[in-house]
């Protein structure tokens, strides 16, 4: 059975909890975010939503754990302060992970 999890600050996580997401982790730093991601991976969460700032801080860990696997799908969202500079095009990254080809504009 697939499930959705959210990792982020208290405001972001609270919003998703109100929307019905049951698996959640409020984190205050990168180390806590890494622990939460690893826990979600052990629980076979199939969609993990994480704030862009945290994802950028733990990019190497995400790439090492997820690699070229299609699932779990990592979805990066802006946090309460907005989107981060240098965030990657998520759809292009997803396509590259799924079919192994980079889409060029």
């Amino acid at each position: 059975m697939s499930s959705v999890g959210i990792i982020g600050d208290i405001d972001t996580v609270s919003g998703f909890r109100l929307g019905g997401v049951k698996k959640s982790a409020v984190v205050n730093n990168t180390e806590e975010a890494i622990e939460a991601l690893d826990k979600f991976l052990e629980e076979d969460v199939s969609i993990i939503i994480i704030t862009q700032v945290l994802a950028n801080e733990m990019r190497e860990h995400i790439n090492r754990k997820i690699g070229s696997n299609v699932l779990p799908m990592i979805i990066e969202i802006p946090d309460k302060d907005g989107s981060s500079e240098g965030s990657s095009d998520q759809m292009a990254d997803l396509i590259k992970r799924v079919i192994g080809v980079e889409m060029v504009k």
Side-chain angles (χ1 to χ4, degrees):
M1 183 172 170
S2 63
S3 61
V4 177
I6 175 76
I7 301 171
D9 59 85
I10 185 69
D11 296 330
T12 303
V13 170
S14 295
F16 277 86
R17 283 181 182 162
L18 289 171
V21 175
K22 294 180 179 157
K23 294 183 183 281
S24 61
V26 175
V27 297
N28 298 308
N29 56 49
T30 307
E31 292 78 25
E32 291 177 0
I34 288 171
E35 289 175 17
L37 177 68
D38 290 344
K39 180 181 176 193
F40 284 170
L41 292 174
E42 290 173 7
E43 296 175 357
D44 291 328
V45 175
S46 53
I47 299 173
I48 300 173
I49 303 167
I50 186 169
T51 59
Q52 288 176 336
V53 173
L54 286 171
N56 288 336
E57 292 172 357
M58 55 189 275
R59 181 76 53 213
E60 280 187 35
H61 185 77
I62 291 172
N63 290 340
R64 188 172 48 253
K65 288 290 193 171
I66 307 299
S68 62
N69 296 332
V70 176
L71 290 177
M73 181 184 303
I74 304 289
I75 300 175
E76 298 175 22
I77 61 167
D79 63 5
K80 63 183 177 185
D81 297 324
S83 63
S84 64
E85 290 291 325
S87 64
S88 62
D89 183 359
Q90 292 181 40
M91 187 57 68
D93 290 345
L94 179 60
I95 291 169
K96 185 176 179 182
R97 278 179 49 195
V98 172
I99 63 174
V101 176
E102 186 170 0
M103 302 301 291
V104 180
K105 294 181 184 178

